[in-house]
Amino acid sequence: MSSTYNFYQQNHNGKQARTANYKKRVVAYYNIITEPYRRFWGDYFHPAFFSSFRQTLSQALEKTHDRFLGDAKLKPHDTAMDLGCGIGSFSCLIAERTQSEVLGIDFNKLQIKKAKLYANTRGCSQVSFINMDIMNIAQLNRKFQAIFLIDVGCHLPYKEKAVAEIAKLLVPGGRLVIADWLQKENPNWFEQTLILEPFCQAWHYPYMESMNGYKNILKANGLKVITAEDVSLKTRKNWGLFYDIAIKQIRSINYS
């Protein structure tokens, strides 16, 4: 019983440590993996939604972006914000596809530097970037027609506070588009301890929210949930592709 209790305490303390030091951990993580990720996977740091296993990654990504932008309902000259923008690839895509003004936000200074270079190289004049923490985003005191939180919420330590901050920046009728890593509803002890905890530790997630948890957070902040979908099966092909790409990269290295 004592060993089980100690294991639980270690996991519990791990979540506390990841929450308390989330910014330091996430910044260090992306400082290390940004360029390898680009080399292996490309400029978009989020999984694609595959409608069939015959689709290529580029085809699936295009359809995935169609989904995100379709949900956002942006019009030319609208304002949009890309939270956790990374190297700015999706921020530029938003601007190019919708002709809207886009602000990219990230607290990683290295990625903001790369985002500005990326936008300049791509000729995205409608995009700007700020080094800022999402947890304090309401300090911007600006309004947006659409805000994107794509594969970023998993890194946030206090999701209720983050959504409350984000909600303040949406115009009436504005849209928040979220894609995130979620845990199942009410995981048992074994799932929590042997699957979720190691996963969060490896990817520097303070914790993962559930679908219903997100719905409750959104509703508590005056946001209406228009659509919500579990896309687990649609993203499954990504992991096999990533593995194949990584193996090809490793085999191409000349060790002599």
Side-chain angles (χ1 to χ4, degrees), residues 86-106:
I87 63 168
S89 50
F90 186 58
S91 303
C92 287
L93 181 72
I94 298 168
E96 292 166 351
R97 293 275 299 273
T98 67
Q99 300 303 304
S100 55
E101 298 288 334
V102 182
L103 176 64
I105 299 291
D106 206 293

Side-chain angles (χ1 to χ4, degrees), residues 97-205:
R97 293 275 299 273
T98 67
Q99 300 303 304
S100 55
E101 298 288 334
V102 182
L103 176 64
I105 299 291
D106 206 293
F107 61 32
N108 185 302
K109 293 181 180 179
L110 176 64
Q111 289 198 319
I112 287 292
K113 182 179 179 180
K114 291 178 180 294
K116 291 178 179 179
L117 179 62
Y118 182 95
N120 183 58
T121 302
R122 194 156 159 172
C124 297
S125 59
Q126 293 170 272
V127 182
S128 57
F129 299 97
I130 295 178
N131 179 231
M132 193 174 189
D133 189 347
I134 295 171
M135 300 305 302
N136 303 313
I137 203 69
Q139 294 177 5
L140 281 175
N141 196 28
R142 293 174 58 180
K143 295 291 184 180
F144 300 87
Q145 274 76 35
I147 297 177
F148 297 86
L149 188 69
I150 308 299
D151 271 29
V152 175
C154 46
H155 288 300
L156 299 177
Y158 307 106
K159 294 172 180 49
E160 298 91 341
K161 181 180 185 298
V163 171
E165 293 272 306
I166 293 167
K168 295 173 184 176
L169 303 185
L170 282 169
V171 300
R175 296 199 169 204
L176 171 59
V177 180
I178 300 175
D180 204 2
W181 292 81
L182 303 178
Q183 69 173 38
K184 63 177 288 188
E185 307 294 338
N186 304 312
N188 62 40
W189 185 90
F190 291 99
E191 292 167 332
Q192 186 68 53
T193 305
L194 302 180
I195 299 175
L196 292 172
E197 176 62 23
F199 189 86
C200 289
Q201 183 72 21
W203 291 88
H204 295 279
Y205 298 167

Side-chain angles (χ1 to χ4, degrees), residues 16-54:
Q16 288 182 330
R18 292 194 303 273
T19 298
N21 300 304
Y22 76 96
K23 189 171 183 178
K24 181 179 179 180
R25 286 169 174 263
V26 174
V27 167
Y29 174 72
Y30 280 101
N31 282 347
I32 293 171
I33 64 98
T34 293
E35 285 309 313
Y37 203 102
R38 290 183 77 179
R39 186 167 68 251
F40 290 159
W41 196 242
D43 287 337
Y44 298 104
F45 286 24
H46 47 255
F49 303 166
F50 287 84
S51 57
S52 78
F53 267 73
R54 295 177 182 176

